[in-house]
Amino acid sequence: ELHLARKIPLHYRASDGAIVHGYLSLPPGKPAAGLPMLTMVHGGPWASFDNGYTSLVQMMVNRGVAVFQPNFRSSVGHGERYMSAPGSDFGNGRVQADIIEGVRYLVKNGVGDSKRLAIMGDSFGGYSTLLALTHQPEMFQFGMALSPPPEFGSVLKTVAGAMPKEAERLVKVGFDLNDARAMESIASTSPAANVAHLKRPLVII
């Protein structure tokens, strides 16, 4: 246990004034500012990271990498209002901004080397990784996306059409599949529609 890094709970103010939560894990005894930093995005997106043991986090920290785990808005565990705050804004909008602004907050405050940033996630986290590499093509030097939907809106429509209970769940979390403007925003800003902007190495699993 003495060799494990502690998950440090943190919060930061997003550009719209809201407080966003997350965790930071640092290699013991190393200057935070010079570290490569991995942003790990959870799936769901209606899920969350907690302060428990995560094997991948500990492996990366053991190898000298800082790990940032944002609990962006739509994450559970911070109240219903926090979870439903994004509504249908799941393109390159509010949810993605919470993640990107968290990385910028940490770098600005002396955590991580801005020239050695990576991002990864699976499912929704993989989608977020693709969004990051297509909309912030110079920010991250590497991305790894596991099971990523290249266009989130069409996936939700397919799931809702096949599973009525999931359609009901989307309504409860504030996502409106009938909001044409929101669905168009998700489609037009999707990784699939912006793949030409991709510059950095990307692994898709």
Side-chain angles (χ1 to χ4, degrees), residues 88-103:
S88 305
D89 196 4
F90 284 91
N92 186 46
R94 186 65 263 161
V95 172
Q96 188 68 7
D98 281 358
I99 298 164
I100 298 301
E101 289 170 6
V103 177

Side-chain angles (χ1 to χ4, degrees), residues 67-97:
V67 180
F68 170 47
Q69 296 175 283
N71 276 333
F72 44 89
R73 275 170 284 182
S74 80
S75 301
V76 302
H78 298 283
E80 186 174 347
R81 185 176 298 175
Y82 190 88
M83 180 187 67
S84 61
S88 305
D89 196 4
F90 284 91
N92 186 46
R94 186 65 263 161
V95 172
Q96 188 68 7

